[in-house]
Amino acid sequence: MSQATAFVMTHESDPQRTGKALSVQALAVTRSLGRQGVPVVRLHPNRLDSGLVSRYCSELVICPDLYQSELQLVEFLEQLAARYPGKRVLVPASDDCALFVSRHWDRLAQCFALPTPSSQVMEQIIDKRRQYESAQRLGIPVPETYFPANLEEVQSLAPQLKHFPYVIKPTVAHQWRLASMQAVSSGKKGIRVETADELLGAYRKLGSEASGVMLQEVIGGQDERLYTFLTYFDRASRPLGYCVRSKIRQMPVDFGYCTLTVSCDEPLVREQSLRLLQGIGYHGIAGVEWKHDPRTGLYKLIEINARAVNTIGIAPASGVDIPYIAYRDAIGQPLPPVFTWKQGVKWIRLIQDIDAARILHRTGRLSMGKWWRSIRGNRVHAVFAWDDLRPFLNDYAAMVKRRTGKAVAKMRALQGRDKPAAATGPIKGWWR
């Protein structure tokens, strides 16, 4: 089989950010394809992503920043394609890049195979209001959700709310990762509010950003009730491979990003995901997130991610190599569909999972023994891999640099206070 070139594209939602970052989903896609012998070109506007040093990245191309000029990036990609003979597959591995590709689908499809949804389908997904409207038309359960346009509408709504707590979330997910929003959300996917007063206070704090958020019930139960359906659908909206995973922990511990998950099966998650994606005519890699509501017994839609999610690496480890399935279909050489997978395979982002475990331990929700048992067994790491060590080493070095910088800043802040930094006591071990 002749190998087409795969182009895996990511951007950073905050063009002003500094320091090393890491797109774990782009790294997983790169490794999935590279281990199959596929030449992978990584497209990124700078060198800040630690995953760019992967041995499976055949070439790094610094591209224009889509946040500065989408048209310039389109023209760059058209010129870049001419340098690579044969077939070319463009795989967006972040929300902003998936939206960009859908917006310019017609032009980019002239020079790349695009295993991604069209602009018509993406418009039903990228905004949560339209996503939920599409789901409800198909009879898919969704959480109690409101879309107030301003503080005045929130003030009118607050007395009617019956099921606190609620969470304030973005209607367009990747906009929440901008530095202006991260300062408000403290790095979380949402802002939890326990009372009407907290709700009003949070909206006042959001200020002008409040027009881009929604209010949703917090579905009860532990993280284990969160499921994600990982899949690839072809152009005829037929699934060519899928598996299911259940979340175990996340960081931040409330409304954060997965740090430990396990492959499993849940028939209703499969059935509803298939009905939803086929109902909207989906094409591409996707991750559909659900939560089992203990109050109603329903599996309610949380969101559709129209690209590889952070935990996509669990799929190849479970026997469903979704990135490679998508690649093969894109070049016109589809593999036989894969609808069975190994259950009990774990995916872990170890450093972040240790952080989550420490917080849970302090609040009495997790013992060291239970944490150790939870990570044992057949597992794959988000970053660490024996056959590809450099991304882990770069990511670890960047983490040490960040934390050292924060520790130094904290010590400097303590200088001049009555109680010196040394009086806070010695470090008592990683677990505490």
Side-chain angles (χ1 to χ4, degrees):
M1 183 191 73
S2 59
Q3 297 284 27
T5 303
F7 296 79
V8 178
M9 182 168 68
T10 48
H11 270 60
E12 286 146 359
S13 54
D14 179 13
Q16 303 301 319
R17 76 184 292 173
T18 58
K20 291 285 185 181
L22 176 62
S23 170
V24 291
Q25 65 266 34
L27 178 60
V29 171
T30 299
R31 285 172 170 171
S32 165
L33 299 178
R35 286 167 178 155
Q36 296 288 348
V38 177
V40 179
V41 176
R42 283 283 277 111
L43 298 169
H44 200 71
N46 53 53
R47 298 179 181 274
L48 295 180
D49 190 323
S50 298
L52 297 173
V53 298
S54 169
R55 63 174 291 194
Y56 295 110
C57 175
S58 305
E59 183 181 356
L60 166 63
V61 174
I62 304 298
C63 62
D65 194 316
L66 68 83
Y67 287 92
Q68 297 177 8
S69 173
E70 289 196 13
L71 180 58
Q72 186 180 0
L73 179 55
V74 171
E75 293 172 345
F76 177 86
L77 291 173
E78 290 173 330
Q79 296 168 10
L80 179 68
R83 291 171 36 194
Y84 295 85
K87 295 180 179 179
R88 299 167 292 271
V89 181
L90 180 60
V91 183
S94 59
D95 288 324
D96 44 16
C97 289
L99 180 59
F100 161 79
V101 170
S102 74
R103 284 174 174 165
H104 305 280
W105 205 95
D106 290 340
R107 282 185 64 173
L108 293 173
Q110 300 300 312
C111 43
F112 295 95
L114 302 174
T116 57
S118 66
S119 59
Q120 293 83 357
V121 173
M122 183 63 82
E123 285 173 4
Q124 297 181 61
I125 295 173
I126 197 68
D127 186 282
K128 291 294 194 306
R129 181 194 290 265
R130 296 195 61 182
Q131 187 180 133
Y132 284 2
E133 288 173 350
S134 297
Q136 288 177 307
R137 283 197 299 270
L138 295 165
I140 301 294
V142 301
E144 175 193 350
T145 307
Y146 304 92
F147 297 90
N150 50 49
L151 180 60
E152 289 71 27
E153 290 190 13
V154 177
Q155 290 171 329
S156 299
L157 175 64
Q160 306 172 34
L161 298 175
K162 305 297 183 184
H163 299 122
F164 278 97
Y166 289 83
V167 58
I168 301 170
K169 298 167 63 176
T171 55
V172 179
H174 68 269
Q175 293 180 353
W176 201 258
R177 301 184 186 104
L178 294 169
S180 59
M181 298 303 293
Q182 289 289 290
V184 176
S185 69
S186 302
K188 298 181 179 181
K189 288 184 177 180
I191 301 171
R192 182 183 176 114
V193 291
E194 301 284 348
T195 65
D197 287 343
E198 284 187 15
L199 170 62
L200 294 172
Y203 263 83
R204 291 189 182 99
K205 190 174 181 180
L206 283 167
S208 62
E209 304 287 353
S211 61
V213 300
M214 64 187 192
L215 183 66
Q216 188 173 89
E217 67 169 323
V218 174
I219 299 174
Q222 300 300 311
D223 293 342
E224 289 86 348
R225 292 181 178 268
L226 282 162
Y227 295 86
T228 300
F229 180 81
L230 307 173
T231 190
Y232 171 74
F233 274 49
D234 68 11
R235 288 196 179 207
S237 200
R238 297 172 301 201
L240 295 188
Y242 56 70
C243 63
V244 179
R245 59 93 169 167
S246 172
K247 185 180 285 188
I248 298 176
R249 275 187 295 277
Q250 58 189 351
M251 185 66 190
V253 294
D254 296 314
F255 309 111
Y257 298 90
C258 188
T259 61
L260 181 65
T261 188
V262 61
S263 61
C264 63
D265 192 17
E266 184 52 60
L268 272 177
V269 168
R270 280 191 282 117
E271 186 275 324
Q272 290 184 175
S273 298
L274 292 168
R275 178 152 51 97
L276 176 60
L277 294 176
Q278 288 177 324
I280 63 176
Y282 192 82
H283 170 222
I285 298 173
V288 188
E289 187 173 357
W290 306 85
K291 190 165 187 182
H292 182 239
D293 187 346
R295 185 168 58 88
T296 64
L298 298 174
Y299 288 86
K300 294 182 177 179
L301 174 67
I302 302 301
E303 63 179 345
I304 304 172
N305 293 284
R307 42 86 183 170
V309 297
N310 287 4
T311 57
I312 190 65
I314 198 173
S318 301
V320 189
D321 197 340
I322 289 173
Y324 189 57
I325 290 170
Y327 166 86
R328 286 288 296 268
D329 184 59
I331 64 175
Q333 300 175 2
L335 296 167
V338 184
F339 302 143
T340 59
W341 59 94
K342 301 174 190 173
Q343 297 183 43
V345 177
K346 296 174 182 177
W347 174 99
I348 185 169
R349 193 163 185 191
L350 185 59
I351 295 171
Q352 287 76 9
D353 194 60
I354 291 173
D355 289 340
R358 291 173 65 188
I359 292 171
L360 293 170
H361 177 66
R362 289 182 191 134
T363 56
R365 290 184 281 173
L366 184 69
S367 68
M368 185 175 181
K370 186 175 180 180
W371 173 79
W372 177 249
R373 289 190 295 273
S374 74
I375 69 170
R376 293 181 63 186
N378 186 4
R379 66 180 182 268
V380 60
H381 288 259
V383 185
F384 178 83
W386 284 113
D387 64 337
D388 190 25
L389 283 171
R390 287 187 65 194
F392 169 76
L393 297 175
N394 272 26
D395 189 49
Y396 185 78
M399 181 274 294
V400 170
K401 184 176 180 180
R402 286 194 303 271
R403 297 191 179 188
T404 300
K406 289 179 181 179
V408 170
K410 185 176 181 180
M411 291 180 66
R412 288 175 176 171
L414 287 170
Q415 289 178 356
R417 295 184 181 180
D418 293 337
K419 184 182 290 186
T424 61
I427 296 175
K428 297 183 180 180
W430 70 271
W431 186 250
R432 297 185 183 182

